[in-house]
């Protein structure tokens, strides 16, 4: 229900059409990044369509996290382009991308340790009145800021209950367990009202029942029109929950297709699944 | 979380009677005020006691109290600004003295008479003081623009270097007198600027007298103060000083409110988030560079103001009023109080000024009045005395050298703090950054279950 209008816009300006005529939300072309002598990301390209769940897999060191960092502006690419919602966003800073609705979580969680769960969550809302210094300090204007804080807090409580974090609301984020931090990061990212979420190993360290819970949430959000790209190690998760899987190996894309296709792909089995199957 | 009751109950307040301890139902500012008054009371009682032992008159004790209050309030002004930089945002600014210098010098240059030896613009203090603050903020902007891209430790080096460059520029003979767009100006190099209004006198006389130039013809409130003063044998000069001290206290209150509002707001939340993890903050869509620059400039403006009403308030400024040691004092005060809390900062300022800075000379006077110690002048003699089991000789040395031994005291206090109270005297005070008191918020009873999607703003 959220991105329908955006999709129409894309059709009109004709940008972002993929080969089969559908519109891509995220388009990656020939992206590269070198670290010293290593081609961490070596000329990859793919499109992500709106309201899809795509899995990005590959052995350790394949370049998945680096790809995320390039897309979200943490690193500057050495070459290639990133387009989001039809706009060339190559080299944009993380805050510029988050403003446009491209939001990510980190493999190693980056919760704000000395801030409580409530503070962490409240930070996420975009365009808060009180982010303007003058509104926060001037007597009459501050009243509106206080009012808005109450409104935002109501939304925070809802999502905390949904993620079963409400009993931790007053704890400092640094005291949470690894799994709780993953949940905090995901729910915080959701409060930014994103178009697309890039999740770097969201299930790592999350206990199985929470993991199930998290996956259900992702499917619900998917139903609401959110787009997901997720890096995940657990093959079952990827195969069961993603519509499409992109496999990276040594900085390149090895295969790209439906889970069933990937499972049968010779190169993938050799390079990656070989040991397990 | 520490065991101190949600971070509110300070360890200090635990040992005092109920009316002075913090409570969850009381507003935050009342708790803060309570702590500050408690620290002030400790210093005042110490001073009155030492003053009486030292044989001071009421006039003398009042002057000492006024002096220590003025120093505390002046330091508090800068500590609050540093707390905005370092405590809330994590900007390690060790160039404080430089920004204070820019404030004081700009005010001096704007208000000095055009006919003076070092000519100025001859404008009123109403223009001069804001001009000084704006100049300090602009210099802060120039320093911050390149430096904010650097890592925290490099940022510190840049601010320190900037402060020294600023002081040396004011000291430089090439800027002694110069012309800017055809207007004669000057910094007076090493001798500084002398011919601009004495802010202390100007402010207090404007408050007290209808004819401040005289000064004569006091206002009714002025008359009242003088009458009360006569009861205690206080001369007009002391009353004027007290009034100026009150003026600085009002400034501290205004800055306190301004910065507490800044911290307890969505803006302050971004500052705190930057301190914790800047990349995570950026990834949530916050323009951290812009926020950092705003916070840095605001803090610099307040440092400029402090430079004006503290070192620059006696009608002359010289470069050596702004040595790096000033920055060091401010850091000690903030560390004592505990960075991250405005109330802690003010308490730190009061304890530093009272017990560490102005306290030792009071002790010296009291001891000299009580006992007749030998005047030992060298540490060698003192140590020989100690070795000969003659502590009098040693204590005599301590008394003679009290004002320089203070610096050792600072070091000892810092080391003890690091060991026993690394979060400051008040302990860990992590105040949630929001315009409403988050500690009191509870999850609503959920009759209606809304969808996440409705969190859209
Ligand atoms: N900041 C960095 N500096 C140097 N090398 C890096 C950096 N980040 C990643 N790499 C290297 O790039 C390659 C890809 O890493 P990464 O993207 O983290 O892999 P993945 O997330 O798929 O496990 C690895 O060889 C890794 O060592
Ligand atoms: Mg990785």
């Amino acid at each position: 229900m959220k991105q329908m209008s955006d999709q129409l816009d894309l059709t009109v300006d004709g940008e972002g059409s993929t080969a089969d005529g559908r519109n891509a939300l995220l388009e990656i072309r020939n992206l590269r990044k070198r670290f010293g002598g290593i081609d961490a990301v070596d000329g990859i390209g793919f499109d992500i369509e709106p309201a899809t769940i795509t899995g990005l897999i590959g052995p350790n060191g394949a370049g998945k996290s680096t790809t995320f960092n390039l897309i979200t502006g943490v690193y500057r690419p050495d070459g290639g382009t990133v387009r989001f919602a039809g706009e060339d966003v190559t080299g944009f800073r993380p805050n510029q991308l988050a403003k446009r609705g491209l939001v990510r979580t980190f493999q190693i969680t980056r919760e704000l340790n000395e801030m409580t769960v409530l503070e962490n969550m409240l930070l996420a809302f975009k365009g808060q009145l009180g982010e303007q210094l003058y509104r926060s300090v001037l007597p009459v204007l501050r009243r509106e800021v206080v009012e808005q804080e109450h409104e935002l807090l109501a939304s925070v409580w809802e999502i905390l209950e949904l993620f079963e974090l409400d009993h931790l609301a007053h704890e400092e984020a640094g005291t949470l367990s690894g799994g709780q931090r993953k949940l905090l990061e995901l729910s915080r990212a959701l409060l930014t009202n994103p178009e697309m979420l890039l999740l770097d190993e969201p299930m790592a360290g999350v206990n199985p029942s929470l993991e199930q819970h998290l996956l259900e949430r992702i499917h619900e959000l998917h139903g609401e029109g959110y787009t997901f790209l997720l890096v995940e190690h657990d093959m079952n998760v990827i195969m069961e929950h993603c519509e499409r899987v992109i496999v990276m190996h040594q900085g390149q894309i090895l295969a790209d297709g439906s889970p069933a296709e990937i499972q049968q792909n010779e190169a993938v089995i050799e390079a990656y699944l070989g040991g397990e199957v | 979380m520490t065991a101190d009751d949600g971070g509110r109950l300070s360890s200090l307040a635990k040992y005092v009677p109920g009316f002075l301890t913090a409570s969850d139902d009381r507003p935050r500012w009342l708790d803060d005020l309570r702590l500050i008054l408690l620290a002030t009371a400790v210093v005042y009682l110490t001073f009155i006691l030492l003053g009486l032992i030292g044989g001071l008159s009421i006039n003398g004790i009042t002057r000492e109290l006024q002096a220590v209050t003025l120093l505390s309030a002046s330091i508090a002004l800068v500590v609050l600004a540093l707390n905005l930089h370092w405590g809330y945002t994590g900007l390690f600014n060790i160039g404080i003295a430089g920004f204070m210098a820019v404030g004081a010098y700009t005010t001096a240059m704007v208000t000095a008479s055009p006919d003076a030896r070092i000519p100025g613009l001859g404008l009123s203090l109403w223009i001069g003081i804001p001009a000084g603050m704006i100049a300090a903020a602009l210099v802060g902007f120039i320093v911050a623009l390149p430096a904010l891209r650097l890592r925290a430790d490099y940022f510190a080096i840049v601010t320190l270097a900037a402060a020294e460059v600023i002081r040396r520029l004011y000291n430089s003979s090439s800027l002694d007198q110069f012309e800017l767009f055809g207007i004669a100006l000057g910094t007076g190099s090493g001798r500084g600027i002398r011919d601009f209004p004495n802010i202390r006198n100007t402010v207090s006389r404007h408050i007290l007298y209808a004819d401040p130039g005289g000064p004569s013809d006091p206002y009714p409130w002025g008359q009242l103060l003088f009458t009360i003063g006569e009861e205690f044998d206080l001369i007009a000069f002391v009353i004027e000083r007290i009034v100026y001290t009150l003026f600085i206290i009002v400034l501290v209150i205004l800055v306190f409110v301004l910065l507490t509002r800044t911290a307890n707001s969505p803006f302050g939340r971004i500052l705190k988030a930057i301190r914790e993890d800047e990349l995570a903050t950026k990834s949530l869509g916050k323009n951290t560079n812009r926020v950092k620059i705003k916070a840095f400039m605001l803090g610099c403006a307040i440092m400029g103001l402090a430079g004006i009403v503290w070192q620059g308030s006696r009608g002359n400024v010289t470069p050596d009023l702004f040595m790096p040691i000033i920055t060091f004092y401010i850091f000690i005060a903030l560390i004592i109080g505990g960075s991250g809390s405005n109330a802690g900062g003010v308490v730190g300022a009061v304890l530093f000024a009272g017990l560490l800075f102005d306290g030792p000379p009071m002790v010296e006077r009291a001891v000299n009045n009580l006992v007749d110690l030998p005047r030992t002048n060298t540490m060698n003699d003192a140590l020989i005395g100690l070795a000969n089991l003659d502590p009098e000789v040693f204590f005599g040395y301590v008394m003679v050298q009290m004002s320089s031994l203070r610096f050792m005291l600072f070091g000892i206090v810092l080391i003890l703090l690091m060991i026993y109270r690394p979060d400051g005297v008040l302990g860990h005070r992590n105040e949630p950054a929001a315009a409403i008191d988050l500690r009191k918020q509870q999850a609503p009873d959920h009759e209606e279950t809304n969808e996440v999607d409705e969190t859209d703003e």
Side-chain angles (χ1 to χ4, degrees):
Chain A
M1 90 199 219
K2 52 192 309 295
Q3 275 104 13
M4 293 307 152
S5 55
D6 299 0
Q7 287 174 37
L8 286 176
D9 288 351
L10 294 184
T11 333
V12 174
D13 63 23
E15 296 248 41
S17 294
T18 53
D20 61 355
R22 292 179 63 189
N23 302 307
L25 181 59
L26 180 70
E27 300 162 71
I28 309 296
R29 293 285 176 276
N30 202 20
L31 206 57
R32 353 184 130 259
K33 181 76 186 175
R34 273 183 82 84
F35 288 120
I38 312 166
D39 287 305
V41 170
D42 190 11
I44 63 166
F46 55 81
D47 291 332
I48 303 289
E49 279 145 38
T52 55
I53 304 182
T54 308
L56 180 61
I57 62 170
N60 260 333
K64 307 179 296 290
S65 293
T66 306
T67 302
F68 269 27
N69 286 333
L70 291 173
I71 294 174
T72 56
V74 177
Y75 298 149
R76 230 167 232 285
D78 295 332
T81 55
V82 179
R83 294 176 73 83
F84 181 70
E87 184 187 6
D88 187 343
V89 294
T90 318
F92 276 32
R93 277 169 303 185
N95 50 304
Q96 294 174 303
L97 291 160
K99 267 213 174 101
R100 285 165 172 74
L102 183 64
V103 174
R104 58 94 53 93
T105 62
F106 292 86
Q107 180 174 354
I108 296 158
T109 51
R110 302 188 81 113
E111 69 291 328
L112 306 158
N113 281 322
E114 284 207 10
M115 295 172 78
T116 64
V117 169
L118 281 185
E119 284 180 284
N120 264 275
M121 301 294 278
L122 280 171
L123 179 69
F125 294 94
K126 271 189 245 173
Q128 301 174 40
L129 293 175
E131 289 181 1
Q132 298 293 325
L133 180 57
Y134 73 98
R135 282 184 191 277
S136 280
V137 297
L138 291 180
V140 181
L141 294 175
R142 185 171 167 93
R143 246 178 267 157
E144 289 170 35
V145 173
V146 171
E147 235 166 73
Q148 198 188 41
E149 294 270 89
H150 281 290
E151 287 163 23
L152 299 181
L153 200 59
S155 313
V156 167
W157 283 118
E158 274 174 38
I159 202 159
L160 284 179
E161 277 168 29
L162 215 54
F163 280 80
E164 292 167 19
L165 287 169
D166 45 338
H167 63 291
L168 298 167
H170 296 285
E171 298 298 318
E172 285 182 11
T175 64
L176 304 189
S177 74
Q180 289 165 340
R181 289 177 202 202
K182 289 277 181 190
L183 286 179
L184 174 63
E185 253 207 329
L186 178 58
S187 45
R188 194 177 63 184
L190 284 174
L191 286 182
T192 64
N193 188 26
E195 299 269 313
M196 178 170 184
L197 280 160
L198 272 60
L199 310 179
D200 201 345
E201 307 207 13
M203 321 295 175
V206 179
N207 72 44
S209 75
L210 267 183
E211 177 175 327
Q212 208 47 48
H213 192 69
L214 235 156
L215 285 164
E216 276 163 29
R217 287 300 309 150
I218 289 176
H219 277 293
E220 266 173 62
L221 294 164
H222 169 223
E224 286 168 21
Y226 287 90
T227 309
F228 288 91
L229 176 62
L230 55 107
V231 169
E232 186 46 56
H233 266 145
D234 187 335
M235 272 305 136
N236 294 329
V237 169
I238 291 288
M239 297 303 168
E240 277 173 36
H241 297 274
C242 298
E243 304 152 50
R244 174 180 163 210
V245 180
I246 300 171
V247 187
M248 282 189 76
H249 183 53
Q250 293 180 350
Q252 295 180 325
I253 290 183
L254 194 61
D256 181 346
S258 71
E261 287 165 2
I262 295 299
Q263 271 167 318
Q264 265 129 54
N265 185 306
E266 297 275 317
V268 173
I269 293 169
E270 195 173 313
Y272 184 49
L273 301 174
E276 291 178 27
V277 180
Chain B
M1 293 235 28
T2 47
D4 59 1
D5 194 16
R8 288 309 298 162
L9 258 184
S10 81
S11 49
L12 201 93
K14 260 181 222 155
Y15 304 104
V16 298
F19 75 97
L20 278 171
T21 54
S23 145
D24 273 353
D25 332 318
R26 276 194 276 256
R28 275 192 253 186
W29 66 267
L30 212 59
D31 282 353
D32 292 347
L33 187 65
R34 187 169 287 114
L35 288 169
I36 294 164
L37 290 180
L38 188 67
T40 311
V42 168
V43 169
Y44 273 25
L45 287 178
T46 313
F47 267 55
I48 291 172
L49 201 68
L50 289 173
L52 290 175
I53 298 172
L56 285 179
S57 65
I58 289 189
N59 225 324
I61 292 179
T62 310
R63 280 201 61 183
E64 292 293 343
L65 290 181
Q66 174 272 322
V68 74
T69 312
L70 181 59
L71 183 65
S72 304
S74 305
I75 291 178
L77 215 48
V78 203
V79 170
L80 286 171
L82 177 62
N83 193 34
L84 174 69
H85 284 170
W86 185 45
Y88 285 112
T89 322
L91 295 170
F92 198 59
N93 176 6
I94 46 175
I96 299 168
F99 300 109
M100 296 174 76
V102 171
Y105 265 92
T106 305
T107 301
M109 288 165 75
V110 168
T111 58
S113 154
D115 316 316
R117 186 185 69 81
I118 303 298
L121 297 180
L123 299 172
S124 90
L125 279 174
W126 286 110
I127 300 170
I129 293 178
M133 294 175 68
I134 291 169
L138 289 178
V139 171
F141 177 74
I142 293 167
V143 172
L145 211 53
L148 284 176
R149 297 180 182 279
L150 304 175
R151 266 179 28 209
D153 34 1
Y154 293 114
F155 178 82
I157 294 167
V158 170
T159 56
L160 178 64
E164 273 302 280
V165 168
I166 288 165
R167 192 174 62 83
R168 278 159 195 270
L169 275 178
Y170 285 133
N171 205 5
S172 148
S173 56
S174 54
L175 292 180
D176 189 63
Q177 289 179 51
F178 59 93
E179 275 201 10
L180 195 65
F181 307 122
I183 301 164
L185 284 171
T187 64
S189 61
R191 282 173 299 174
I193 304 175
R194 302 190 169 277
D195 307 291
F196 72 97
N198 178 315
I199 296 173
R200 267 192 201 180
N201 294 342
T202 312
V203 167
S204 56
R205 287 177 189 171
H206 268 88
I207 294 172
L208 284 170
Y209 307 101
D211 174 20
S216 62
D217 193 8
Y219 288 120
W221 51 87
Q223 194 54 57
L224 181 69
L225 283 177
F226 289 126
T227 317
I228 297 172
E230 271 167 30
E231 290 297 311
F232 295 96
D233 280 341
L234 298 181
I235 51 177
F237 168 79
V238 177
I239 303 273
E240 283 178 15
R241 281 292 162 80
I242 291 174
V243 166
Y244 186 71
T245 306
L246 291 174
F247 168 73
I248 302 292
I249 291 175
V250 169
L251 286 185
V252 172
I253 293 170
L254 290 177
V255 168
F256 189 98
V257 171
L258 173 73
L259 294 186
T260 303
R261 283 184 162 219
T262 303
N264 296 337
S265 77
F267 183 85
R269 200 146 60 216
I270 301 179
L271 297 183
K272 200 171 170 188
I274 289 172
R275 183 189 76 191
E276 294 294 301
D277 187 334
E278 189 171 356
L279 178 56
T281 313
K282 273 189 188 161
S283 298
L284 290 171
K286 310 300 174 194
N287 189 338
T288 53
N289 279 343
R290 197 162 63 202
V291 170
K292 275 200 287 188
I293 286 178
K294 275 190 200 172
F296 194 70
M297 288 176 70
L298 176 61
C300 287
I302 296 166
M303 289 170 181
L305 175 65
I308 297 164
V309 297
W310 179 11
Q311 290 102 324
S313 69
R314 277 159 287 184
N316 68 75
V317 287
T318 54
D320 46 345
L321 287 172
F322 302 98
M323 300 294 276
I325 189 82
I326 301 283
T327 303
F328 180 64
Y329 293 157
I330 303 305
F331 264 92
I332 299 180
L334 184 55
I335 290 169
I336 290 176
S339 78
S341 151
N342 285 330
V346 176
V347 168
V350 170
L351 295 182
F352 172 78
L355 302 186
L356 295 185
F357 201 88
D358 274 358
M362 291 291 287
V363 173
E364 183 183 347
R365 186 181 0 233
V367 171
N368 284 341
N369 199 40
L370 266 190
V371 287
D372 203 11
L373 287 172
R375 297 196 65 77
T376 320
N377 279 315
T378 69
M379 183 179 279
N380 201 24
D381 292 346
L383 291 178
I384 290 171
L386 205 57
N388 293 337
L389 301 178
D390 187 3
E392 273 196 7
V393 179
F394 179 75
F395 286 120
Y397 171 74
V398 170
M399 288 306 137
V400 169
Q401 298 293 331
M402 192 61 111
S403 37
S404 37
L405 287 178
R406 272 188 296 196
F407 292 94
M408 269 172 78
L409 184 64
F410 297 166
I412 292 168
V413 167
L414 274 185
I415 290 170
L416 291 178
L417 273 177
M418 292 301 154
I419 296 173
Y420 296 105
R421 299 208 71 82
D423 291 318
V425 171
L426 293 185
H428 190 63
R429 285 166 60 90
N430 190 2
E431 295 157 1
I436 49 183
D437 194 343
L438 288 185
R439 280 175 302 241
K440 293 178 184 148
Q441 303 297 323
Q442 292 301 326
D445 300 329
H446 35 287
E447 270 102 63
E448 78 280 65
T449 35
N450 293 322
E451 290 179 73
V452 205
D453 208 29
E454 287 170 22
T455 59
D456 299 3
E457 71 264 26

